[in-house]
Amino acid sequence: MIDFRYHIVSIVAIFFALGAGVVLGAGPLKGTASEVVASQAEKDRQQLADARAELVQVKALDKYRDDYVAKVTAGMTSGKLANKKVAIVTMPNADNDLTNSLQDEVEKAGAVVTTKVALDAKLFDTGQRQLVETLVNQLLTADMDIPTDSTTYQRAGLLLARGIAAKEDGKTGDADSTKMISGLTGAKLLSLKPSQIKDRATLVLVVAAKPPTPLPDNSTYNDSVDFIEGLDTGSGGAVVAGTPATASDGGLLKALRSDSEATKIVSSVDVADIPAGQATVVFSLVEQAEGKAGQYGAINAKNGVAPSAVQTKDN
Protein backbone atom coordinates (compact mmCIF):
# COMPACT_ATOMS: atom_id res chain seq x y z
CA MET A 1 0.00 0.00 0.00
CA ILE A 2 2.88 2.37 0.85
CA ASP A 3 4.67 1.60 -2.44
CA PHE A 4 1.57 2.32 -4.48
CA ARG A 5 0.87 5.60 -2.69
CA TYR A 6 4.36 6.91 -3.30
CA HIS A 7 4.26 5.88 -6.95
CA ILE A 8 1.17 8.05 -7.32
CA VAL A 9 2.83 10.94 -5.46
CA SER A 10 5.89 10.64 -7.69
CA ILE A 11 3.89 10.61 -10.89
CA VAL A 12 1.81 13.63 -9.83
CA ALA A 13 4.93 15.51 -8.79
CA ILE A 14 6.66 14.78 -12.09
CA PHE A 15 3.70 15.99 -14.12
CA PHE A 16 3.51 19.09 -11.94
CA ALA A 17 7.17 19.72 -12.50
CA LEU A 18 6.77 19.21 -16.25
CA GLY A 19 3.92 21.71 -16.20
CA ALA A 20 6.11 24.14 -14.38
CA GLY A 21 8.85 23.54 -16.95
CA VAL A 22 6.53 24.43 -19.81
CA VAL A 23 5.64 27.70 -18.13
CA LEU A 24 9.23 28.48 -17.30
CA GLY A 25 10.31 27.57 -20.83
CA ALA A 26 8.08 30.30 -22.19
CA GLY A 27 9.43 32.88 -19.75
CA PRO A 28 12.67 34.44 -18.54
CA LEU A 29 13.87 31.18 -16.86
CA LYS A 30 13.77 29.17 -20.07
CA GLY A 31 17.26 27.78 -19.59
CA THR A 32 16.55 26.28 -16.14
CA ALA A 33 13.30 24.38 -16.88
CA SER A 34 15.00 21.01 -17.35
CA GLU A 35 17.00 21.55 -14.17
CA VAL A 36 13.77 22.14 -12.17
CA VAL A 37 12.23 18.95 -13.52
CA ALA A 38 15.37 16.92 -12.82
CA SER A 39 15.65 18.29 -9.30
CA GLN A 40 12.02 17.51 -8.49
CA ALA A 41 12.30 14.01 -9.96
CA GLU A 42 15.37 13.33 -7.81
CA LYS A 43 13.51 14.45 -4.69
CA ASP A 44 10.62 12.17 -5.58
CA ARG A 45 12.93 9.22 -6.17
CA GLN A 46 14.56 9.78 -2.79
CA GLN A 47 11.18 10.05 -1.09
CA LEU A 48 10.08 6.79 -2.69
CA ALA A 49 13.33 5.07 -1.67
CA ASP A 50 12.84 6.24 1.93
CA ALA A 51 9.28 4.92 1.95
CA ARG A 52 10.43 1.54 0.66
CA ALA A 53 13.17 1.37 3.29
CA GLU A 54 10.63 2.19 5.98
CA LEU A 55 8.31 -0.56 4.75
CA VAL A 56 11.16 -3.11 4.78
CA GLN A 57 12.00 -2.08 8.33
CA VAL A 58 8.39 -2.38 9.48
CA LYS A 59 8.11 -5.86 7.97
CA ALA A 60 11.36 -6.90 9.63
CA LEU A 61 10.13 -5.66 13.01
CA ASP A 62 6.81 -7.49 12.56
CA LYS A 63 8.66 -10.70 11.75
CA TYR A 64 10.92 -10.25 14.77
CA ARG A 65 7.90 -9.74 17.04
CA ASP A 66 6.15 -12.84 15.79
CA ASP A 67 9.33 -14.95 15.88
CA TYR A 68 10.07 -13.77 19.41
CA VAL A 69 6.62 -14.72 20.64
CA ALA A 70 6.69 -18.05 18.82
CA LYS A 71 10.19 -19.08 19.91
CA VAL A 72 11.00 -17.31 23.16
CA THR A 73 7.63 -17.36 24.91
CA ALA A 74 6.42 -20.68 23.47
CA GLY A 75 7.02 -22.40 26.79
CA MET A 76 4.33 -20.30 28.44
CA THR A 77 1.59 -22.47 26.94
CA SER A 78 3.32 -25.82 27.39
CA GLY A 79 1.18 -28.17 29.44
CA LYS A 80 -1.57 -25.61 29.98
CA LEU A 81 -4.12 -27.93 28.35
CA ALA A 82 -2.63 -31.23 29.52
CA ASN A 83 -5.23 -34.01 29.71
CA LYS A 84 -7.85 -31.76 28.12
CA LYS A 85 -9.86 -32.83 25.10
CA VAL A 86 -10.78 -30.14 22.59
CA ALA A 87 -13.23 -30.24 19.68
CA ILE A 88 -12.59 -27.76 16.83
CA VAL A 89 -15.64 -26.35 15.06
CA THR A 90 -15.10 -24.28 11.91
CA MET A 91 -17.67 -21.77 10.73
CA PRO A 92 -18.61 -21.87 7.01
CA ASN A 93 -15.66 -20.74 4.84
CA ALA A 94 -13.23 -20.61 7.76
CA ASP A 95 -9.57 -20.51 6.68
CA ASN A 96 -7.90 -23.94 6.69
CA ASP A 97 -4.43 -22.57 7.43
CA LEU A 98 -5.72 -20.66 10.45
CA THR A 99 -7.56 -23.76 11.67
CA ASN A 100 -4.44 -25.92 11.30
CA SER A 101 -2.29 -23.37 13.12
CA LEU A 102 -4.72 -23.26 16.02
CA GLN A 103 -4.86 -27.04 16.17
CA ASP A 104 -1.05 -27.16 16.32
CA GLU A 105 -1.06 -24.62 19.13
CA VAL A 106 -3.58 -26.40 21.36
CA GLU A 107 -1.83 -29.71 20.76
CA LYS A 108 1.52 -28.19 21.74
CA ALA A 109 -0.20 -27.04 24.93
CA GLY A 110 -0.99 -30.67 25.71
CA ALA A 111 -4.58 -30.98 24.48
CA VAL A 112 -5.99 -33.84 22.42
CA VAL A 113 -8.15 -32.72 19.49
CA THR A 114 -10.94 -35.30 19.46
CA THR A 115 -12.74 -34.15 16.32
CA LYS A 116 -12.93 -31.37 13.73
CA VAL A 117 -16.42 -30.27 12.73
CA ALA A 118 -16.94 -28.21 9.57
CA LEU A 119 -20.26 -26.34 9.61
CA ASP A 120 -21.92 -25.96 6.22
CA ALA A 121 -23.40 -22.64 5.05
CA LYS A 122 -26.70 -24.49 4.69
CA LEU A 123 -26.96 -24.61 8.49
CA PHE A 124 -27.39 -20.82 8.70
CA ASP A 125 -29.27 -20.31 5.43
CA THR A 126 -32.55 -18.56 6.25
CA GLY A 127 -34.23 -20.70 3.62
CA GLN A 128 -33.29 -23.81 5.60
CA ARG A 129 -34.55 -22.61 8.98
CA GLN A 130 -37.62 -24.86 8.91
CA LEU A 131 -35.44 -27.87 8.13
CA VAL A 132 -33.09 -27.05 10.99
CA GLU A 133 -35.94 -26.53 13.46
CA THR A 134 -37.68 -29.78 12.51
CA LEU A 135 -34.45 -31.78 12.66
CA VAL A 136 -33.43 -30.32 16.01
CA ASN A 137 -36.79 -31.13 17.57
CA GLN A 138 -36.55 -34.70 16.28
CA LEU A 139 -33.05 -35.29 17.64
CA LEU A 140 -33.36 -33.76 21.13
CA THR A 141 -33.28 -36.35 23.90
CA ALA A 142 -34.87 -36.42 27.34
CA ASP A 143 -31.53 -36.20 29.17
CA MET A 144 -30.71 -32.82 27.62
CA ASP A 145 -31.30 -29.73 29.74
CA ILE A 146 -33.02 -27.36 27.30
CA PRO A 147 -33.87 -23.84 28.53
CA THR A 148 -37.53 -23.07 27.92
CA ASP A 149 -36.72 -19.72 26.26
CA SER A 150 -33.97 -21.08 24.00
CA THR A 151 -33.97 -20.32 20.28
CA THR A 152 -33.81 -22.89 17.49
CA TYR A 153 -30.11 -22.25 16.97
CA GLN A 154 -29.25 -22.37 20.65
CA ARG A 155 -30.87 -25.82 20.71
CA ALA A 156 -28.95 -26.76 17.55
CA GLY A 157 -25.71 -25.79 19.29
CA LEU A 158 -26.72 -27.80 22.35
CA LEU A 159 -27.43 -30.73 20.07
CA LEU A 160 -24.00 -30.64 18.45
CA ALA A 161 -22.41 -30.20 21.88
CA ARG A 162 -24.21 -33.33 23.11
CA GLY A 163 -22.80 -35.20 20.12
CA ILE A 164 -19.15 -34.16 20.39
CA ALA A 165 -18.65 -32.76 23.89
CA ALA A 166 -19.67 -32.87 27.54
CA LYS A 167 -19.36 -30.73 30.65
CA GLU A 168 -17.32 -33.36 32.46
CA ASP A 169 -14.14 -35.21 31.50
CA GLY A 170 -14.19 -38.85 30.50
CA LYS A 171 -17.41 -38.95 28.48
CA THR A 172 -17.39 -41.11 25.37
CA GLY A 173 -19.60 -41.41 22.33
CA ASP A 174 -22.85 -43.29 22.90
CA ALA A 175 -26.01 -44.24 21.05
CA ASP A 176 -27.54 -40.78 21.51
CA SER A 177 -24.46 -38.89 20.35
CA THR A 178 -24.17 -41.17 17.32
CA LYS A 179 -27.82 -40.55 16.46
CA MET A 180 -27.42 -36.79 16.74
CA ILE A 181 -24.28 -36.63 14.63
CA SER A 182 -25.80 -38.94 12.02
CA GLY A 183 -28.87 -36.71 11.78
CA LEU A 184 -26.85 -33.52 11.36
CA THR A 185 -24.43 -34.98 8.83
CA GLY A 186 -27.22 -36.78 6.97
CA ALA A 187 -28.95 -33.43 6.44
CA LYS A 188 -25.60 -32.07 5.15
CA LEU A 189 -25.54 -29.34 7.79
CA LEU A 190 -21.99 -30.28 8.83
CA SER A 191 -19.22 -32.84 8.41
CA LEU A 192 -16.83 -34.48 10.88
CA LYS A 193 -13.29 -35.85 10.92
CA PRO A 194 -13.18 -38.55 12.15
CA SER A 195 -16.77 -39.39 11.33
CA GLN A 196 -17.25 -41.48 14.49
CA ILE A 197 -17.02 -39.95 17.96
CA LYS A 198 -14.95 -42.01 20.38
CA ASP A 199 -14.10 -39.50 23.12
CA ARG A 200 -16.23 -36.44 23.72
CA ALA A 201 -14.35 -33.20 24.37
CA THR A 202 -14.91 -30.81 27.26
CA LEU A 203 -13.76 -27.67 25.46
CA VAL A 204 -14.83 -26.32 22.06
CA LEU A 205 -12.70 -24.06 19.85
CA VAL A 206 -14.72 -22.27 17.17
CA VAL A 207 -12.83 -20.79 14.20
CA ALA A 208 -14.50 -17.73 12.67
CA ALA A 209 -14.42 -17.02 8.94
CA LYS A 210 -13.30 -13.84 7.21
CA PRO A 211 -16.29 -11.51 6.64
CA PRO A 212 -17.73 -11.74 3.12
CA THR A 213 -17.88 -8.88 0.61
CA PRO A 214 -19.96 -6.79 0.69
CA LEU A 215 -19.98 -6.69 4.48
CA PRO A 216 -23.23 -7.98 5.98
CA ASP A 217 -25.19 -6.37 8.78
CA ASN A 218 -24.12 -7.63 12.20
CA SER A 219 -27.61 -9.03 12.78
CA THR A 220 -26.85 -11.57 10.04
CA TYR A 221 -24.86 -13.45 12.66
CA ASN A 222 -27.63 -13.72 15.26
CA ASP A 223 -28.21 -17.41 14.53
CA SER A 224 -24.47 -18.11 14.58
CA VAL A 225 -24.08 -16.42 17.96
CA ASP A 226 -27.02 -18.40 19.33
CA PHE A 227 -25.47 -21.60 17.98
CA ILE A 228 -22.15 -20.83 19.71
CA GLU A 229 -23.99 -20.09 22.96
CA GLY A 230 -25.52 -23.55 22.69
CA LEU A 231 -22.09 -25.10 22.14
CA ASP A 232 -20.79 -23.37 25.26
CA THR A 233 -23.79 -24.30 27.39
CA GLY A 234 -23.56 -27.97 26.41
CA SER A 235 -19.81 -28.28 26.98
CA GLY A 236 -17.17 -27.22 29.47
CA GLY A 237 -16.68 -23.95 27.60
CA ALA A 238 -16.19 -22.40 24.16
CA VAL A 239 -13.71 -19.94 22.66
CA VAL A 240 -14.21 -18.24 19.28
CA ALA A 241 -10.97 -17.43 17.44
CA GLY A 242 -10.75 -15.00 14.54
CA THR A 243 -8.73 -12.26 12.88
CA PRO A 244 -9.04 -8.49 13.43
CA ALA A 245 -11.47 -8.29 10.49
CA THR A 246 -13.91 -10.57 12.31
CA ALA A 247 -14.04 -8.13 15.23
CA SER A 248 -14.92 -5.18 12.98
CA ASP A 249 -18.27 -4.31 11.40
CA GLY A 250 -19.57 -7.23 9.34
CA GLY A 251 -17.67 -9.85 11.36
CA LEU A 252 -18.78 -12.69 13.64
CA LEU A 253 -16.77 -11.54 16.66
CA LYS A 254 -18.24 -8.06 16.34
CA ALA A 255 -21.73 -9.56 16.55
CA LEU A 256 -20.78 -11.87 19.40
CA ARG A 257 -19.28 -9.05 21.44
CA SER A 258 -22.40 -6.96 20.89
CA ASP A 259 -24.50 -9.65 22.62
CA SER A 260 -24.26 -9.10 26.37
CA GLU A 261 -25.70 -12.52 27.17
CA ALA A 262 -23.27 -14.34 24.88
CA THR A 263 -20.20 -12.59 26.30
CA LYS A 264 -21.10 -13.74 29.80
CA ILE A 265 -20.27 -17.32 28.85
CA VAL A 266 -18.37 -17.36 25.51
CA SER A 267 -14.78 -16.13 25.09
CA SER A 268 -13.28 -14.64 21.94
CA VAL A 269 -9.82 -13.78 20.57
CA ASP A 270 -9.51 -11.50 17.53
CA VAL A 271 -5.77 -11.91 16.80
CA ALA A 272 -5.65 -15.68 16.28
CA ASP A 273 -3.63 -15.26 13.08
CA ILE A 274 -0.44 -14.28 14.96
CA PRO A 275 1.58 -16.29 17.51
CA ALA A 276 0.65 -14.06 20.46
CA GLY A 277 -3.02 -14.45 19.61
CA GLN A 278 -2.73 -18.21 19.31
CA ALA A 279 -1.19 -18.34 22.77
CA THR A 280 -4.11 -16.22 23.99
CA VAL A 281 -6.51 -18.80 22.54
CA VAL A 282 -4.85 -21.44 24.73
CA PHE A 283 -5.07 -19.22 27.80
CA SER A 284 -8.73 -18.53 27.01
CA LEU A 285 -9.51 -22.25 26.80
CA VAL A 286 -7.84 -22.71 30.20
CA GLU A 287 -9.98 -19.88 31.57
CA GLN A 288 -13.12 -21.44 30.10
CA ALA A 289 -12.31 -24.71 31.87
CA GLU A 290 -12.38 -22.69 35.09
CA GLY A 291 -15.84 -21.34 34.31
CA LYS A 292 -14.74 -17.84 33.24
CA ALA A 293 -15.06 -15.91 29.99
CA GLY A 294 -13.43 -12.88 28.38
CA GLN A 295 -13.01 -10.98 25.12
CA TYR A 296 -9.37 -10.54 24.11
CA GLY A 297 -7.33 -9.03 21.30
CA ALA A 298 -6.75 -5.74 19.53
CA ILE A 299 -10.18 -4.62 18.26
CA ASN A 300 -12.63 -3.42 20.91
CA ALA A 301 -11.61 -6.30 23.19
CA LYS A 302 -13.04 -5.15 26.51
CA ASN A 303 -10.93 -7.54 28.62
CA GLY A 304 -7.56 -6.63 27.16
CA VAL A 305 -4.80 -8.59 25.48
CA ALA A 306 -5.16 -11.85 27.41
CA PRO A 307 -6.78 -13.34 30.53
CA SER A 308 -5.67 -11.52 33.69
CA ALA A 309 -4.16 -14.73 35.10
CA VAL A 310 -1.30 -14.56 32.57
CA GLN A 311 -0.79 -10.81 32.53
CA THR A 312 2.02 -9.20 34.52
CA LYS A 313 0.58 -7.53 37.59
CA ASP A 314 1.25 -3.80 38.00
CA ASN A 315 3.43 -2.85 40.95
Side-chain angles (χ1 to χ4, degrees):
M1 183 177 293
I2 293 177
D3 284 348
F4 179 74
R5 185 174 68 244
Y6 279 100
H7 276 305
I8 295 298
V9 170
S10 298
I11 292 169
V12 171
I14 289 170
F15 275 109
F16 178 80
L18 286 171
V22 171
V23 173
L24 290 170
L29 298 179
K30 181 177 179 181
T32 63
S34 60
E35 296 174 4
V36 171
V37 172
S39 176
Q40 184 61 49
E42 179 58 32
K43 289 179 181 178
D44 292 336
R45 280 193 292 270
Q46 186 58 51
Q47 190 176 34
L48 181 58
D50 291 344
R52 284 175 172 164
E54 182 181 357
L55 181 60
V56 169
Q57 190 174 56
V58 168
K59 287 182 176 178
L61 289 173
D62 284 345
K63 184 178 185 303
Y64 172 81
R65 177 201 62 198
D66 289 345
D67 285 350
Y68 186 92
V69 172
K71 297 175 182 179
V72 179
T73 67
M76 293 179 63
T77 61
S78 297
K80 292 294 184 181
L81 293 172
N83 303 316
K84 291 295 183 184
K85 292 181 172 61
V86 177
I88 297 179
V89 177
T90 58
M91 299 301 291
N93 302 312
D95 184 77
N96 287 331
D97 290 339
L98 176 60
T99 301
N100 292 336
S101 295
L102 288 168
Q103 179 175 351
D104 289 344
E105 189 67 23
V106 298
E107 289 178 339
K108 288 176 183 177
V112 173
V113 174
T114 57
T115 188
K116 294 173 73 173
V117 181
L119 303 182
D120 193 275
K122 181 180 178 181
L123 176 61
F124 302 108
D125 186 341
T126 55
Q128 301 296 325
R129 181 181 292 273
Q130 186 61 50
L131 166 66
V132 174
E133 184 168 6
T134 300
L135 185 62
V136 166
N137 290 336
Q138 289 174 349
L139 295 174
L140 292 177
T141 58
D143 69 329
M144 294 178 64
D145 184 15
I146 308 296
T148 56
D149 60 347
S150 60
T151 68
T152 294
Y153 281 89
Q154 286 171 338
R155 294 193 293 275
L158 280 165
L159 194 68
L160 177 59
R162 175 62 179 82
I164 65 172
K167 289 181 175 292
E168 306 85 18
D169 292 324
K171 297 292 184 179
T172 59
D174 54 26
D176 284 337
S177 64
T178 299
K179 176 185 175 182
M180 293 169 185
I181 294 303
S182 296
L184 294 169
T185 56
K188 301 188 183 305
L189 299 179
L190 52 84
S191 60
L192 279 80
K193 290 184 179 180
S195 58
Q196 297 295 318
I197 299 297
K198 180 181 177 182
D199 295 313
R200 287 153 64 193
T202 51
L203 297 170
V204 180
L205 173 57
V206 180
V207 183
K210 178 183 177 181
T213 303
L215 293 176
D217 186 87
N218 290 335
S219 63
T220 304
Y221 295 103
N222 288 348
D223 290 340
S224 298
V225 172
D226 284 351
F227 186 86
I228 293 167
E229 283 188 81
L231 283 175
D232 186 289
T233 303
S235 67
V239 175
V240 186
T243 62
T246 66
S248 302
D249 285 337
L252 174 59
L253 264 63
K254 174 73 171 183
L256 172 70
R257 292 173 174 179
S258 300
D259 188 320
S260 59
E261 292 302 313
T263 53
K264 289 178 182 178
I265 60 173
V266 179
S267 296
S268 66
V269 179
D270 64 37
V271 284
D273 54 339
I274 61 174
Q278 290 163 12
T280 301
V281 168
V282 170
F283 298 137
S284 299
L285 286 167
V286 172
E287 186 179 57
Q288 277 285 326
E290 298 170 348
K292 302 174 184 177
Q295 317 308 315
Y296 307 110
I299 310 297
N300 299 318
K302 68 177 183 180
N303 298 115
V305 296
S308 57
V310 296
Q311 292 190 43
T312 302
K313 303 297 185 294
D314 293 332
N315 295 324

